[in-house]
Amino acid sequence: MTYPLDGLPSEVSIYEVGPRDGLQNESAVVPVEVKLEFVQRLVAAGLRTVEATSFVHPKWVPQLADAEDLMAALPRVNGVRYPVLVPNERGLERALSFGVQDIAVFGSATETFAQRNLNRSLDSQFEMFAPVVARAVAAGVRVRGYASMCFGDPWEGPVAVDQVVRVGQRLLDLGCAELSLGDTIGVATPGHVRTLLAAFGAAGVPVARLAVHFHDTYGQALANTLAALQSGVTVVDASAGGLGGCPYAESATGNLATEDLLWQLHGLGIETGVDLDALVATSVWMAGQLGRASVSRVVQALS
Ligand code: HMG
Ligand code: MG
């Protein structure tokens, strides 16, 4: 049985971030063979966009230092996209040598997090991204832009809505096709989500270009997702088993679990094309690899 609600989209695209946002924050370094199987199982479960890894400096994120090995081993599947994070031109060169079709640059809505995550000021992050986005677009690569700390920052506290809109607009103006609004530390609440999305709308950004990226630190990720759907968002980031966080953001815990998201969407009668049971089995297997149980409520309930 499904129980639809009025005013929601009929289909939602899930942008799976487990292999990147999830594994970048594990203290254990997962062998590349396990990552490869993880990505392939996510695809077999029906996910069509799986953010695979990051071409960042390996000293900054040692968990993803095997990006080359993973991308070399990963079989390409028709209709499946494997975006990778790229901060700068060095990262773009590494990504392009594997023929990637999708990259994501990741900017900060706050000054402090720009310094901590990118070793740059807020303004100079755009100077770093500009040639990356221009070269990628010229090479036919689709570029996503992330804005982090859109709802709050552990060092700066609350983040003003108009500041987030300015940062997001600058990422879109560089040539990003899509902008993912990150609640990096999970402090957002549903009214805040709707206020931010409305502010982007008022600034002339179509909701079709926006995605949401919630972390579940305060248990608000699903409520925030529903609020975003009510605002017309149709791309939702999630992480299998609720893996994840950010190594450069204190108090960033797991992402919204993909299974928890699926339970809600399927109950609402919204199509995703993803097989929940196959995904739960994947997260149970991954939890075994990591030596600890999944934090996802749905994984716990179904396993
Ligand atoms: P930097 O030290 O300022 O780099 O780091 P640099 O440009 O000064 O270069 C220093 C050296 O690093 C040079 O080598 C470069 O070649 C090398 P040398 O000439 O000295 O031998 N280098 C690289 N090597 C490999 N790959 C590269 C690369 N770039 C430079 N791409 C940098 C600047 C941006 C590289 C660094 O700060 C970095 O890698 N940061 C990434 C941090 C990160 O990945 N954080 C997590 C992702 S963001 C996130 O999780 C939030 C999100 O999930 C959304 C949300 O939740 O809100 C997306
Ligand atoms: Mg994140």
Side-chain angles (χ1 to χ4, degrees):
M1 264 319 267
T2 60
Y3 293 93
L5 279 180
D6 285 342
L8 299 183
S10 56
E11 280 179 38
V12 165
S13 301
I14 299 178
Y15 185 105
E16 170 64 43
V17 297
R20 194 281 303 172
D21 208 357
L23 297 185
Q24 79 179 9
N25 204 43
E26 289 298 324
S27 46
V29 176
V30 175
V32 71
E33 299 76 27
V34 173
K35 290 177 179 166
L36 183 61
E37 183 171 346
F38 186 38
V39 174
Q40 290 181 287
R41 288 181 69 146
L42 295 170
V43 171
L47 289 157
R48 286 295 161 263
T49 304
V50 180
E51 196 169 78
T53 187
S54 298
F55 286 99
V56 297
H57 196 294
K59 283 203 194 109
W60 282 64
V61 185
Q63 293 88 338
L64 303 181
D66 58 3
E68 265 81 4
D69 296 338
L70 179 65
M71 293 313 284
L74 194 59
R76 304 304 190 263
V77 179
N78 252 344
V80 175
R81 314 187 78 106
Y82 297 118
V84 295
L85 254 57
V86 165
N88 55 14
E89 289 193 273
R90 173 86 187 89
L92 182 66
E93 272 153 32
R94 292 172 61 203
L96 289 179
S97 71
F98 291 93
V100 302
Q101 295 293 304
D102 295 80
I103 66 162
V105 296
F106 47 104
S108 172
T110 66
E111 189 63 55
T112 311
F113 191 60
Q115 293 288 354
R116 292 200 175 233
N117 202 40
L118 295 165
N119 203 22
R120 298 286 179 281
S121 68
L122 190 147
D123 276 330
S124 62
Q125 68 183 342
F126 299 103
E127 287 158 30
M128 181 165 74
F129 298 147
V132 174
V133 181
R135 269 182 65 194
V137 169
V141 170
R142 186 175 190 274
V143 186
R144 159 183 260 219
Y146 279 102
S148 296
M149 303 297 178
C150 290
F151 298 89
D153 172 295
W155 301 280
E156 296 185 17
V159 181
V161 165
D162 59 346
Q163 181 179 333
V164 178
V165 173
R166 273 198 305 276
V167 165
Q169 191 98 55
R170 286 174 80 175
L171 287 166
L172 289 168
D173 289 347
L174 289 179
C176 294
E178 175 175 282
L179 175 68
S180 177
L181 302 172
D183 183 16
T184 318
I185 56 167
V187 293
T189 45
H192 194 170
V193 172
R194 297 211 59 173
T195 301
L196 182 62
L197 290 167
F200 271 101
V205 176
V207 72
R209 291 183 74 185
L210 299 176
V212 287
H213 179 107
F214 294 123
H215 287 254
D216 206 27
T217 322
Y218 292 86
Q220 302 299 300
L222 267 185
N224 290 336
T225 302
L226 186 59
L229 299 178
Q230 286 170 330
S231 296
V233 168
T234 59
V235 181
V236 179
D237 299 3
S239 169
L243 292 171
C246 176
Y248 292 100
E250 284 159 29
S251 72
T253 54
N255 291 76
L256 167 62
T258 313
E259 292 86 350
D260 297 10
L261 174 63
L262 283 177
W263 187 270
Q264 183 177 92
L265 293 176
H266 292 174
L268 287 162
I270 297 173
E271 294 290 327
T272 65
V274 184
D275 177 341
L276 177 59
D277 292 332
L279 198 59
V280 168
T282 300
S283 290
V284 169
W285 165 81
M286 195 64 212
Q289 300 295 323
L290 294 169
R292 58 171 181 74
S294 164
V295 298
S296 159
R297 304 293 283 270
V298 171
V299 172
Q300 289 168 17
L302 294 182
S303 62

